[in-house]
Amino acid sequence: MIGSTRYRTHTCVGAADAAGERVRVAGWVHRRRDHGGVTFIDVRDRSGVLQLVFHPDAADAIEAAKSLHPEDVITAEGELVPRDAATVNDKLPTGAVELRVDRLEVLTHAAPMPFSVEDEGAEANEELRLTYRYVELRRESRLRALELRGTVVRAIRGVLDDEGFLDVETPMLTRSTPEGARDFLVPARLQRGAWYALPQSPQLFKQLLMVGGLERYYQIVKCFRDEDLRADRQPEFTQVDIEASFVEQDDIIALVEKVLVAAFAAGGVTLEAPFARMTWADAMRRYGSDRPDLRFGLEIQDWSQAAAASGLGVFEGVVAAGGVVRGIVVPGAGGGMSRKDLDGLVAEAQEIGAKGLVWAVPGEGGALRSSVKADFLAGLSDAFGAATGDLIAVVADQEPAAQNVLGVLRGRLAERHGLVPEGAWEPLWVVDFPLVEWNPGEKRWDSLHHPFTSPRADDLGLMESDPGAVTAVAYDIVMNGLELGGGSIRINDPEVQQRALAMIGMDADEAEARFGFLLRALELGAPPHGGLALGLDRMVMLLAGAASIRDVIAFPKTATGGDPLTGAPAEVDAVQLRDLGISVTPPPSPPAPKG
Ligand code: ASP
């Protein structure tokens, strides 16, 4: 271990094996207790905690120990001895020993802490924790999350290095890259009025590396997307970015399975390859989501045909209008739900976007408790295979809306009713995505992945005549209902690339202006190529059992994209703005209070 013996001969946990030896350790004062003339200090370094004991016979040391405050930085030396049997702590790796200190030196005094390091239960608010993130990082859970991240990264690099992938850096100051989000822009001082964009991903550069003959590329790389934030989003996040030449979909899938098996093993989770695969169409139909969580069943079932003759006006009307009546069965969930709970479920479905929700709970002897007269639901329980006490939730709407509501409810209800098995890991490849989806607001087709994704060879003829029917050679990897990554085989023919850009409404001039450099490269000998990118933060979040990717990022941003530690984003000097030729319009002032 690197370190000077001036400060330490062992780490705190490393000292556990040195009983009988003289030992020096260094770290932070974690906790102090005084007991009948004897002072105990827990000292903490990255490895963990070691108990120091100061007996009255070491007068100098005990005096120094008495004046210590939490988080003072110290070095302590003495003999490492076994603890009395009665005071052994089995829960700690150092619980059977203690350091009898005869020499103590305070290296740095710490001012009173903004919140306790030792007591992780005493949650300070996030703003405060992020302002003093370096104090929070001292907490065991944070340190372990970053250690895990490092271990996972090492495992990923191990596989990719072994497979002949080269780690190549790509520019951070570049042009807009089309991943569908807003860009972060950087003004170019030397070319006033021109802007760099921070990359949303290295997509185009990694393709250019393939044209450049690199054949196998990877990079663990920051990407920047100016989006509204959620628990698992940050304005800057990290991708494991991969691209290879002379490959087909199955080659990338097999490689990524190797990467994930190693990464998850590093996090203590065994995954069996090959992973399950499902087409996008099946995922949408059975689970109402393009990233289905397969840790539980609750498949969406169709009751449209029976509903059309049920006598219930809403059902009949929806089916007559080309819609569907579909539902899910939540085993055992209905029995314990009160009328209020069930009505709450209706409100929840509406909040997700349903017009309404019909619920039913089969009772003993064919009785049915339900939100509409049971006669309208004759045969529903049998058709759905529901048993006494199950909850049946039914939604009637146009297909995409109904599927979406049921897809969201499925996950929430499984979680709420304890149907998600503890410790289950269900990786899934979703394949055969459509190339484009209709954007009704903008009245145009949008890429589902990005515009460089290859259509299936058989579908090339449909690109102009029936865009919605074109299948992409694209694949997403999903884990427990979270998208871990996605990729595709790319277009390597400039003419097909032009047509793909035209499909999403880009005429030849615009295509040339924005992506002329790519089109040129494709004209100059582009090998068949494809790849994928994995979200590293999410992967580590899952492995750490963390609730948010912020927990596995050393210096994350808040939900409004701020960094309370440095105060970024911040105003800059007028001189800087002048040099850049930028003038800032002040934000609109908030409306004056009424009255
Ligand atoms: N560039 C894509 C993304 O960031 C991944 C890929 O297609 O390789 O999602």
Side-chain angles (χ1 to χ4, degrees):
M1 180 190 60
I2 182 150
S4 165
T5 52
R6 149 97 173 78
Y7 301 117
R8 61 176 169 191
T9 54
H10 294 74
T11 63
C12 288
V13 169
D17 300 328
E21 292 176 31
R22 256 197 100 65
V23 160
R24 190 178 302 148
V25 294
W28 288 260
V29 171
H30 190 58
R31 191 185 297 135
R32 184 178 120 198
R33 293 177 313 281
D34 296 295
H35 262 311
V38 183
T39 295
F40 294 92
I41 303 267
D42 283 346
V43 61
R44 185 193 69 243
D45 66 8
R46 191 178 114 190
S47 70
V49 163
L50 176 69
Q51 176 165 297
L52 310 180
V53 24
F54 297 81
H55 285 282
D57 50 357
D60 289 354
I62 201 163
E63 263 327 293
K66 283 209 170 116
S67 67
L68 288 179
H69 297 100
E71 304 303 313
D72 283 345
V73 183
I74 59 171
T75 169
E77 187 181 332
E79 187 188 353
L80 196 90
V81 297
R83 287 193 203 182
D84 291 344
T87 61
V88 165
N89 179 350
D90 290 335
K91 293 203 196 82
L92 281 182
T94 57
V97 294
E98 59 195 12
L99 187 68
R100 260 187 104 112
V101 179
D102 49 47
R103 227 201 97 233
L104 174 75
E105 186 187 342
V106 179
L107 299 173
T108 342
H109 278 294
M113 288 294 120
F115 50 85
S116 166
V117 174
E118 174 228 340
D119 183 5
E120 295 207 16
E123 270 307 335
N125 75 50
E126 177 165 64
E127 186 85 12
L128 187 67
R129 283 188 285 113
L130 290 184
T131 304
Y132 298 98
R133 179 65 164 179
Y134 45 86
V135 172
E136 194 191 13
L137 288 177
R138 293 182 196 161
R139 287 181 162 181
E140 169 92 18
S141 62
R142 292 292 176 268
L143 270 179
R144 296 301 159 245
L146 290 186
E147 274 183 354
L148 173 65
R149 186 179 178 113
T151 311
V152 167
V153 164
R154 197 158 59 234
I156 292 171
R157 288 192 183 280
V159 172
L160 291 167
D161 291 341
D162 285 354
E163 296 286 332
F165 282 72
L166 278 181
D167 180 351
V168 181
E169 287 168 84
T170 50
M172 289 288 122
L173 294 177
T174 179
R175 276 192 84 160
S176 181
T177 48
E179 299 287 356
R182 217 179 251 128
D183 290 318
F184 282 101
L185 298 174
V186 180
R189 185 180 55 86
L190 298 177
Q191 291 179 42
R192 192 175 270 205
W195 301 75
Y196 300 104
L198 299 181
Q200 293 186 31
S201 84
Q203 183 61 37
L204 293 171
F205 285 106
K206 67 177 177 174
Q207 292 192 233
L208 295 176
L209 287 173
M210 296 304 106
V211 182
L214 270 288
E215 293 195 17
R216 291 183 200 121
Y217 144 94
Y218 84 99
Q219 188 180 191
I220 297 187
V221 63
K222 277 287 178 76
C223 300
F224 304 86
R225 298 184 193 175
D226 187 4
E227 293 177 296
D228 295 333
L229 306 183
R230 293 191 311 236
D232 59 351
R233 271 202 196 146
Q234 282 275 301
E236 51 178 309
F237 60 96
T238 306
Q239 282 189 347
V240 179
D241 197 41
I242 296 175
E243 196 76 7
S245 297
F246 309 113
V247 291
E248 296 182 304
Q249 168 169 302
D250 282 353
D251 302 301
I252 299 294
I253 285 186
L255 171 78
V256 172
E257 287 180 349
K258 266 193 199 167
V259 169
L260 287 175
V261 166
F264 276 70
V269 172
T270 307
L271 299 179
E272 299 277 350
F275 303 160
R277 289 192 201 185
M278 189 181 291
T279 64
W280 176 86
D282 278 349
M284 296 304 280
R285 182 174 51 78
R286 292 169 61 187
Y287 301 100
S289 167
D290 58 2
R291 46 184 167 83
D293 191 337
L294 296 191
R295 288 175 299 169
F296 49 88
L298 277 67
E299 276 193 40
I300 297 172
Q301 309 195 53
D302 187 73
W303 204 58
S304 309
Q305 222 183 337
S310 62
L312 186 63
V314 264
F315 283 1
E316 295 185 357
V318 164
V319 178
V324 298
V325 178
R326 292 190 183 159
I328 54 175
V329 176
V330 192
M337 286 176 84
S338 65
R339 177 80 205 199
K340 194 166 153 241
D341 297 336
L342 290 157
D343 288 343
L345 189 63
V346 177
E348 185 174 353
Q350 283 167 336
E351 169 245 314
I352 302 169
K355 295 204 181 71
L357 176 129
V358 170
W359 54 260
V361 180
E364 295 299 339
L368 196 71
R369 197 153 65 101
S370 51
S371 58
V372 294
K373 226 163 65 207
D375 298 355
F376 294 132
L377 304 178
L380 174 68
S381 299
D382 285 347
F384 277 13
T388 302
D390 290 354
L391 165 70
I392 308 175
V394 178
V395 170
D397 209 326
Q398 292 302 306
E399 183 170 359
Q403 289 293 108
N404 177 51
V405 171
L406 289 167
V408 175
L409 275 184
R410 177 182 171 264
R412 291 194 192 170
L413 289 170
E415 198 79 57
R416 211 171 290 157
H417 293 282
L419 299 172
V420 183
E422 206 50 51
W425 296 94
E426 291 291 344
L428 172 73
W429 287 106
V430 177
V431 297
D432 296 350
F433 281 81
L435 189 67
V436 289
E437 67 185 337
W438 183 245
N439 178 336
E442 302 285 331
K443 295 202 171 28
R444 55 149 205 255
W445 295 98
D446 283 341
S447 303
L448 224 81
H449 282 83
H450 48 61
F452 317 108
T453 298
S454 178
R456 222 166 42 181
D458 291 349
D459 293 351
L460 285 172
L462 299 173
M463 288 174 75
E464 288 76 18
S465 56
D466 192 359
V470 178
T471 301
V473 192
Y475 32 81
D476 277 3
I477 178 71
V478 175
M479 176 69 84
N480 295 357
L482 277 186
E483 186 193 322
L484 272 193
S488 57
I489 297 300
R490 324 300 183 187
I491 297 169
N492 71 324
D493 173 330
E495 191 217 310
V496 176
Q497 185 61 73
Q498 289 268 21
R499 290 170 59 199
L501 292 171
M503 257 174 113
I504 56 169
M506 222 179 268
D507 64 28
D509 289 344
E510 194 187 344
E512 185 58 37
R514 288 188 61 191
F515 301 120
F517 65 100
L518 175 74
L519 296 170
R520 218 66 348 96
L522 296 184
E523 283 161 6
L524 295 173
H529 61 286
L532 157 146
L534 296 166
L536 180 69
D537 310 291
R538 265 187 211 178
M539 186 166 20
V540 179
M541 171 185 90
L542 276 180
L543 285 169
S548 158
I549 62 170
R550 291 180 219 166
D551 294 346
V552 301
I553 295 172
F555 296 103
K557 301 211 172 21
T558 63
T560 48
D563 172 14
L565 197 167
T566 60
E571 288 178 6
V572 296
D573 285 348
V575 181
Q576 281 177 295
L577 288 179
R578 202 189 52 215
D579 286 352
L580 295 165
I582 292 175
S583 69
V584 176
T585 325
S589 43
K594 287 212 181 81

